[in-house]
Amino acid sequence: MALEISEILSNYDLDVRNCVRIRGGFLLDTEKGYKLLREFGRSKELLTGLNEFRKCLIEAGYGSIDTFFESKEDSLYTEYDDKTYVIMNYFNARECDIGNEKEVLAGVRELAMLHKAFDNMKTPIELPYEADCRTVFEKRTRE
């Protein structure tokens, strides 16, 4: 596994100080901040669409979102051993504790900011859907 990670990281302009396995991938401590290395098991078209969607959200004023970190060749992904990997700019976040009123209110404020950003988006983005909502929901609840 260490060789695999090393091979993938060689495609990025990053100096990795530490690498820790976490749920969903590997947390990288780099000179450019924390990054998340993970396998992207979906289509490259979806990856491109997600990247454009996230850029539009940021342009519309919503910055609380993880973004893709491009490789040395300005690619959103790296392929290794017939798998696609991405590195994302990572920020420390956690799920809201619904028993804590302050956290719930902070979550509501964040959601309101996201909705405002949707209203401010200049062009609508269409993402290529690969599954219906029920399939996605069932997959997420199994995780």
Side-chain angles (χ1 to χ4, degrees):
M1 183 58 88
L3 177 62
E4 178 180 335
I5 293 170
S6 178
E7 287 287 325
I8 295 166
L9 292 176
S10 69
N11 294 299
Y12 294 88
D13 184 24
L14 287 173
D15 177 25
V16 178
R17 297 183 285 239
N18 195 16
C19 175
V20 178
R21 177 101 169 121
I22 62 171
R23 186 176 91 186
F26 294 90
L27 182 62
L28 310 173
D29 180 8
T30 77
E31 84 288 0
K32 295 179 181 176
Y34 287 105
K35 309 291 180 204
L36 176 65
L37 167 64
R38 68 181 184 93
E39 183 179 344
F40 190 82
R42 313 279 296 276
S43 73
K44 292 174 184 72
E45 292 80 17
L46 180 63
L47 177 61
T48 301
L50 287 172
N51 189 52
E52 290 304 312
F53 177 72
R54 289 167 186 209
K55 283 181 180 179
C56 287
L57 275 176
I58 291 168
E59 289 173 11
Y62 188 75
S64 299
I65 189 167
D66 51 355
T67 55
F68 296 100
F69 186 79
E70 294 182 349
S71 71
K72 292 176 185 174
E73 292 80 30
D74 298 324
S75 176
L76 296 174
Y77 62 90
T78 296
E79 292 182 317
Y80 181 81
D81 199 24
D82 295 325
K83 294 179 183 174
T84 302
Y85 293 89
V86 295
I87 292 183
M88 304 187 78
N89 294 307
Y90 182 84
F91 59 94
N92 193 12
R94 63 179 181 76
E95 293 179 6
C96 167
D97 175 6
I98 60 170
N100 183 324
E101 183 178 352
K102 288 181 181 179
E103 286 190 19
V104 171
L105 290 174
V108 169
R109 281 191 295 277
E110 196 69 31
L111 185 58
M113 290 175 15
L114 177 62
H115 281 274
K116 284 182 182 179
F118 285 146
D119 288 341
N120 293 334
M121 288 177 75
K122 295 176 181 152
T123 55
I125 300 289
E126 287 193 34
L127 297 176
Y129 290 100
E130 297 178 339
D132 62 75
C133 292
R134 179 181 298 276
T135 305
V136 172
F137 179 75
E138 287 171 353
K139 179 183 177 195
R140 295 291 181 238
T141 54
R142 282 194 306 268
E143 291 176 355

